[in-house]
Every structure is written in C-alpha cells, then in structure tokens.
Amino acid sequence: MSENRKIRVLVAKPGLDGHDRGAKVIAAAFRDAGFEVIYTGLHQTPEMIVNAAVQEDVDVVAMSILSGAHMTLFPRVKALLDEAGADHVLLTGGGIIPEEDAAVLEGQGIGRLFGPGTSTEDAIAYVRDWFAQHEPV
Amino acid sequence: MALSASLQALLDRFHAGTTTALARAISLVEDEREGFQDFMHEVLKVGPRTARVGFTGPPGAGKSSIVATLATAYRARGEDVGVVAVDPTSPFSGGALLGDRIRMNELTTDAGIFIRSMATRGSLGGLATTTKEVMDLMDAFGFARVLVESVGVGQTELEITAAADTVVVVLVPESGDAIQAMKAGLMEIADVFVVNKADRPGADRLVKEIRQAIHLRAGSALRDVPAHHGVDLSRLGGAGSARAVKERPARAEPQGWEIPVLRTVAQSGDGLPEVLEAVDRHREWLTKSGELGLRRRARARVRVQNVVDRELRRLARHTAASGGRLEHGLDAIVQGAETPYSVAREVLADLLDPEAR
Amino acid sequence: MSTIEEDVTTTRDLAALVREREEELAELKVRLREWEDAFGAIPARDALFTNISGREVKALYTPLDRVEAEGYGEGVGLPGEFPFTRGPYTTMYRTRLWTMRQFAGFATAEETNQRYKYLLKHGQTGLSVAFDFPTLMGYDSDHPRSLGEVGVCGVAISSLADMETLFDGIPLDQVSVSMTINGPAIILFCFYVAAAEKQGVSADILRGTVQNDILKEYQAQHAWIFPPEPALRCIVDMFSWCSTHAPKYNPISISGYHIREAGATAAQELAFTLRNGFEYVERGIAAGLDVDSFAPRLSFFFDVHNDFFEEIAKLRAARRIWARGMRDRYGAKSPESWRLRTHAQTAGVSLTAQQPENNIVRVAYQALAAALGGTQSLHTNSMDETLALPTEKAVRIALRTQQVLAYESGVTNTIDPLAGSYFVESLTDELERDALALFREIDDLGGVVPAIETGWFQQEIASAAMRQQREIEAGERVVVGVNDFEEGSGKIEIDVLRIDASVEEKQRSRMAELRQRRDAAEVERTLTALTEACRGHENLVPRILDCARAYCTLYEIRHAMEEIFGSYKEPVFF
C-alpha cells in the first residue's frame, strides 16, 4: 500500500429531505479520522451520486436518509453503481431505517446501515475494517 | 519500463475513453502508487493539447460557481470539460472535507463533464502536489478544456500559474483588505480579473483599485515584468539554487494583452458571458502571440524539476533510512558526537556515490 | 425581590427599609460564603453540570443574583401586559387551555383525511398538516425527483384537487388548520383558500397558520426553492393580502424549532428566531406596510427540549425581547403587535430509538416545560418517531400526555407559577442578554441574509451540534438507554407504520386524471399571467389563487415563478 493512500468517502444526501445534521456530523467525523470526504450537498438524485462516486473514485458511498425512502434509494444507487462498473464500492449509510429494512437491504449487497444514536466511532471503525479487508490494488 | 499487467489493462481502458479508468488513473497518480510514473510516461506521449484555465482567489469569492457556469457554456458548444477542485487537507488529522461539488451539482449528470476533488495533502501552494499531473491526465484523456480551482486560502497562490495557460483571479468586494496585502502578487499571476458579487457595496472601488494597479504596473519601471509569464516558475520547482530562468528573450515581451477587469454576479449569472469571452480571447492571444508555446515550455520545465525533486527526495529518504543510518545518526547528534550537518553530509555522499563507501 | 410592598409613608421609613434590605443582603452574602465553603468541601458527583446548551448553571441561586435586575414592573410585570414575560394573555389557561395540535399527515389526502377525523373525534382541537418531501420542495407526485418519497413522510398535495380531498367533511370555518410548509408556502396557502371557497367558506373567517418561514430554511431545515429576495417578497405579499382578506389567519409561524433540532443551543434558537422575526417586520415596513397592520398576526414556534428550566426561561425571554423590539425599535403602537404568541413542540432530536417507551417520559417533562413557559398550542411527539411515522397508538399516547397535564396535574391553575424563582428569573435575564449579543453579531455581518449567504448561521449551528455529539460519545452527557443503562441486544420491539408503495402509483394516476380533466387553456393563461406578475411588483397572491382555481399543479406554479425568480443554491461551508 502506498503511504499516500487515503480512504475516500462520498457522503451524500439523496432525495428531497433536507435534514443534513447527521450527514454533516459524520462527514466531519470522517475527516477527523483522516479520511478524504467528498460532500455532495443536499437533494441528490441516485444518478448524481453514482456519477460523483465514479469520478471521485471513492472507496465508500455513505448516504443519509431520514425521509423513509431508503427502500427505493439504496437499491437504486446500488444498481447504478454496479452498472457503472463500481461494484467494488461499499454502499453504507444511516438514518431512520427500521431493522427489518436494514436486513433486507444487507441481503441485496448493501453494507451496514446505522440507526439513530449510533456513535461516529462505530461508523469510522466499520469503514476502516471494511477498507482493511477490501482495499483495491 | 514495461507496465504491470494491471496497469497495462488500465492504460488500455484509459485509451478507450472509459471514465472509470480515468478516475482510477487519477487515484494512481494522486496516491503515487506503484508504477504511476511509468503509467504517466505512457499516457503523456501525446503532448499537451487542451486549454487549461486556472481560477484562484479568496474563499467564498464564488470560484466554484464561475467554474460551473463556464463548464456549462463549454458544454453548450460541444466541448468536453475536466474540472479539478482543490480543498485543504486538515493538518491535524490528514483528512479533508471536499465540498466544491456542491456548487457544480447541475453538471454531475452530464457525461461530457468530469469533476475531481483533490485534497492538498500538505502542499502549501494552493494546489496538491499532483494536481498538475492530474490535469495532464485529463488533457491526455481528451478534454477540450481543463479547469482547475485552487484552494483560495487568501494568499497568492503561485502554483496556479504553473498549472494553467490562463489564470482567472476572482475577488469580491468583501475581500478588499486582503487584496491590499496580496495585490502585488495578484498582478503577477492574473490574465483576467473578475470582481464577483459586484452588486455589493465596495465593488466599484475594488474595480477601480485593480485597474489602477494594472496601469501602474504597465506604465512604471515594472514594464519589463510581464504578467504571469514573468513569474519565476523555477521557484515553484523547489530547486533552491536555480536562478530565475526567463523563457523569453527580453525583446519578445508579449504585446497586446490588456488584463480585463470584469464584474459578475455569479448567483444571477450577470457578467459571466463576458468572462467566457475574455478567456476565449486570451486563448486566441496566447496562440497567436506564440505565448502558449512559451508557457507550455515553462510548465514542462517545472514538471521535470518536480519529478527530479520528488525522486531525489524519495531516494534521499530511502538512503537515510537504509541500514538505520539516520537512527544511529540521531543518537550521535544527541550525544554531541555528530551534528545534523555531518550526518546529512554522510547521507548525501552515499546518495551521490554509493560505491565510494 | 425587587418590589417593596410595605406602605412607605415617610422618607425616614424608606431609608430604614433600604438599610434593612442592605443589611439583609450583606448577611446573606456572609452566609452564602459559608455555604459555598461547605459545598466546596464535598466532592461533586462525576457528572456534567453544564446543561444541554453547554450553559454553566450554578448549584444555587439567591436574591444576590437578582440585585442588578430590572424592577418587577419593568422586566416581569403581569400576564397580558408589557413586556409579557408572564404570558401573552391576561387570563392564560384559566379561560382557555393551550390548543392540543398534533402534526399529522401521510400517504394520500384521502388517508390523512381519515386520520384527521379520528384525531378530532379524540378531542384534538386543531389540525396540523405534515406534507411529504416532494410537496415541501414544490414537486408534484408524478415528478421524477419525487421517486420513492410520495406520501412517505407526510401527505402528498399536488393541486387544489388533493387539498379538497384532504379537508373533505371537515368544516374549515370551525377548525383551525396549521400547515407546515415553507418554500412553496404561498402556493399551498392558495390551495387552502381555494379549498375553503369550494366549501363556501370565505377567507375572512379562516383561522389557522402557515409556517412560511423561509429564513430558517436557509439556516437549518433546507426546504427552499427560491433565493432569499424573491422568497421574502412572497412572504410580504402574504402579510399584505392576509391583513385585508384573511385577518384571522396567521401568515407566518416564525420557527426556532428546526434551528434547535439542527443542533443549536437554546440561546441560539431564541436569538436566531427572533432576529428572523424582526427581519420579516423590517421587510414588511420597507414594502410600505403599517407595522400594526401585520405584526399582530405574526406567530412563533419554539422547540421544547430536555433542559427543563432553560426551556421555560427561553419562552419567557422570547416574549420580553419581542415586545421590547416591536415597541421600542419598530415603533409598533398596538399591544397586539407586541404580544408574542407561540406554538411549541417537544424535541424530536431528544427521542431515542433505543428503549423507545422512555420517550413517553421525555415528552411528558418537555410538555410540562411548555405549559409552565406559557405556550398557546402544543404538539407532543410520539415515542416511535425516530423509527418511522408514528402509529395510531403512539399518537394517542402523545395526545393523552397533554390531556393528563392539562386536566390532572393542576399546573393550569396558576399563571406563570415559576416567576420569582431566583433561578428562573436569572436564567430568563441571561438568555435575553445572550440573544441581544447574538443580534449584534448578526448585525455586524450585515444582517440576516448576508449571514445566511456566508454560511454563518449554518456554521454556528453545526458547531453546537458537534459539541453535543462529542459530549454524548465521550459519555459525559448521559442519554438513558443510549450511552448508559443500555439493555440487552438493543433490538427494538415496537410496531412501525409503513407506507404502502402503492401510494405513489395512486397519486400518479390521480395526477394523470387531473391533467386530462382540467381546462388546459385556463391553466396556460393563469400560469403565463403569474410569470408576468413575478416580473413586476404586484401582489402575487391573487395570481396564484387564479392558478389554484384552474387546477394548475404545485410544480407548474413553482416553475412559472422560478422562470423569473431562479432557484436557491446551497452555500458551501463546513
């Protein structure tokens, strides 16, 4: 591994919900953990997110969804990532996501989804562990 | 040197115009991963073709908005555009928050535009150490335009002149005081001045001040110091002892480029067509006057110096570390048996002539 | 403390009295020092003694904390009297309890209509409409950007037809309706007025509120459409239109709630909200309106968070700052313009996904603070709101919490019962001072809009949010069930309400049908007229009402305005 290798994460707010407190807190926490964080801003469509993920060659896409649209948005972004040849990217996220839904999404190849009250440390550790195991050449 | 199989595959996909290959090639260079120099060597065999435009100015001046508007205009003409946006790396954590895409959201689904965010990773000149190489990659990939936006930490960012053919300096009325301090430097690097948020109080005064400064420069003893092109690019190479190298004989002073000072309101789009027009005009002038060739040559010089410096640094570190030489040296320095100079001399001797030891 | 109630007949009596007071305070000072020594000798519990806003609070407050305070009449006064610290109305809950108003809305207009009828049957006294995200952002249910979000977090209203269904069988001349909508508020308001017309109810008897507070959207909540200047024009147009056509309707609810939920402290919530309120007043005056013609209809909306006393003090301070600003700075003559009336909602961010039943208790304490702070209406959150939309049972418990408070606890009997508490009065003064200091900072930045554009508010709020997150993660601030007193696997056992994916389908076909049915020429005509009006300076409400009556859709109207107004772009900052 090159000494310059950084974990690159795209933090995205898909959909129309404007609650970005969680996204901003996690983006800052990721930066403080030494990651390079690309923040997309609000109101992103799945296409915008995937294009950004591809161009930025990120290792991880982290989406924050509080609008209840997670069952539509996560699978859509996952499908577009695969289509774009970015199936090596970890798609994870957080928000108001019932456990049953998270389980269903995990079954579709989506990573861990963090609910309310998660500590940023847990999310950082999760990304670090995943990266250690999956770092692409 | 031959490329590894995986890099060869990447090169093939790069030449086939695959976006993911460009994205990965950028990471390769940015991280200075194994084999990246050989990869770049293969990629750059075509030579520079694209028009490179750099944007600098204080934070919040609206650089990203202007870049986004220009990119849209180029797309409307059918030109593909690459954008590099640089943000600072946190000196505490080594991480970075890169937010310039927010301003360019409308562009992100256009297949003819490629945006890449870069963190400075410790470089202080307003760009990352590898930004120029990333622009080279975008050039080789075939973009008609490559736009680069520097960090804009408020100081003059000379690096931008070594990266772009045309430098646009974006200022806002609020940055008035900061401008005073950096005016001399800005005069040296700007090909086009933009006063953004020109509907705010203080805009007229700022425009006037910039015009005065330009005229002062043009009409004074500084006449022989051309804008931008006069910047001693060799300083940027980091080669300490090299004297300023003028790329141009004193007679070939560029004629006929008067630095425009334009007013814009990026939020509403007012004045942006004029910026586009000025950048085009500058391009035309660069080509006609032969200045473009000179600037490319100057840039090539910096690039070679950069690569040599980087390799020397890498070799020096490697030599110093090998056999625990540095570590032993440190103990000796602490005990007073050696000094930093004597240890360094040993390392250098070893570096320059490993056989002699 | 600052009153002298005894009859004073001579100066000699007065001098004696003053001396007596001074002696008493001097003695208290000595005894307090002894107490402090005793207090300091015993090590305190290992806990954070700053409150959730990061404010230092002392272990003890005494008359000595109030020596410098204003006189009773000046700073505290009586309920319904300037500066309204003790309450906006003379009689408060003795004549009328607060309005129990639960925010609700989901799926289609039809289903939400059913829920409203249910709530009214269970004793709720006002309605509060929650719209889905597409509606909040001005998109129709069949717009591509609405994908996956139709009817999910609220009800989908894309035209007058949906609004008619929403209030079908609900008499709009009798029920007051509050609508939480901001970016496209002027459009939804016109749908509402037109729906009332269809019921034969004219605007002049409509009671209710539309949130319509765009400044806090830029600062905290982010459901914006247009840039600040045209957005503020729409708001002033509504002030003006309502003052003549809908005098009982509140055309704005200036909201601190979302600012607080985004992470602000109590003082920031207080200051930013009131400063936004003053900004609207300035805009109205600048547009040539008489301040007393619209100021009496400005209403407020505050969060009621965990720190019990600070929240009570915040509401008291808010009334006092508003009254003083309106009278002394903006020259309002009518006491109606000085009187701050507010809605309150318990803090959504304080709810936990872990052990959700605990939220019932949190909500109850917060509701108590709202009542002691003298709110005019209240929404109590449901325990399951961090998991999904609330179920019917959870909503019922939340409403019952208010009813127990109102009918059983006895807190409604006495007005502003905490007045005179050394602590609560000190805290009220302190919050007022903090707010005034923040006003000065905003003014130094050139006012509210420039401070928004440079991201100042957003940064202030984000750094406060960051501090709270750090305290919780470091375990310094205990959140029961989250970072202490955790239970087992953390598996959540609670029913959640799910929105059927067929809602989006239903809405799409409704829209398709509407587009078929309506008079296309009339749609075209009213939209063109609206775009023209946006170019000029006339009041936009009548134009948008015409569009609404012609069954133009939400997005069509938004789009017609956007052509002239442009759209707002998020400022970049961290």
Side-chain angles (χ1 to χ4, degrees), chain C residues 242-287:
Chain C
C242 286
S243 72
T244 47
H245 297 89
K248 293 179 176 169
Y249 193 85
N250 301 318
I252 196 166
S253 169
I254 303 153
S255 306
Y257 187 82
H258 318 82
I259 293 171
R260 189 68 183 279
E261 292 285 298
T265 64
Q268 287 171 332
E269 177 195 2
L270 179 67
F272 298 171
T273 309
L274 293 176
R275 184 60 185 80
N276 288 348
F278 291 136
E279 187 72 22
Y280 295 121
V281 169
E282 287 175 16
R283 298 292 177 142
I285 293 171

Side-chain angles (χ1 to χ4, degrees), chain B residues 15-207:
Chain B
H15 281 144
T18 317
T19 307
T20 47
L22 171 60
R24 178 54 50 87
I26 293 174
S27 302
L28 182 78
V29 170
E30 187 177 27
D31 296 343
E32 299 176 21
R33 295 183 201 172
E34 189 73 44
F36 83 96
Q37 309 217 54
D38 299 327
F39 183 86
M40 286 300 284
H41 172 70
E42 293 301 325
V43 164
L44 295 192
K45 280 177 177 170
V46 287
R49 297 172 298 185
T50 192
R52 302 175 188 218
V53 188
F55 295 82
T56 188
K63 297 185 291 289
S64 302
S65 302
I66 292 173
V67 168
T69 321
L70 289 196
T72 311
Y74 292 134
R75 287 297 298 136
R77 298 180 190 169
E79 297 174 346
D80 285 355
V81 185
V83 177
V84 186
V86 187
D87 273 329
T89 291
S90 155
F92 305 106
S93 68
L97 244 172
L98 313 172
D100 290 320
R101 291 191 82 93
I102 298 176
R103 275 281 171 232
M104 304 179 192
N105 267 330
E106 279 118 73
L107 312 178
T108 51
T109 48
D110 180 340
I113 294 186
F114 185 102
I115 304 168
R116 182 64 172 235
S117 312
M118 292 186 81
T120 52
R121 299 193 180 178
S123 163
L124 296 174
L127 301 179
T129 29
T130 53
T131 298
K132 292 191 280 291
E133 283 155 303
V134 169
M135 293 174 74
D136 287 346
L137 274 171
M138 289 185 170
D139 188 342
F141 195 74
F143 292 113
R145 306 269 164 178
V146 174
L147 311 181
V148 61
E149 179 190 333
S150 77
V151 171
V153 283
Q155 73 210 39
T156 306
E157 294 177 337
L158 291 178
E159 277 279 336
I160 197 95
T161 62
D165 307 319
T166 301
V167 173
V168 180
V169 174
V170 184
L171 302 171
V172 278
E174 289 85 345
S175 49
D177 290 345
I179 302 315
Q180 280 315 105
M182 58 200 259
K183 200 144 69 186
L186 288 175
M187 294 302 139
E188 279 184 52
I189 67 171
D191 296 306
V192 176
F193 273 106
V194 171
V195 173
N196 191 28
K197 303 186 186 173
D199 54 345
R200 297 256 172 98
D204 290 335
R205 215 188 64 198
L206 180 59
V207 169

Side-chain angles (χ1 to χ4, degrees), chain C residues 421-441:
Chain C
S421 147
Y422 305 122
F423 177 37
V424 172
E425 293 294 0
S426 294
L427 204 50
T428 305
D429 296 345
E430 207 174 304
L431 277 157
E432 183 179 20
R433 275 195 303 273
D434 291 354
L436 297 181
L438 284 166
F439 286 177
R440 278 190 294 275
E441 267 190 70

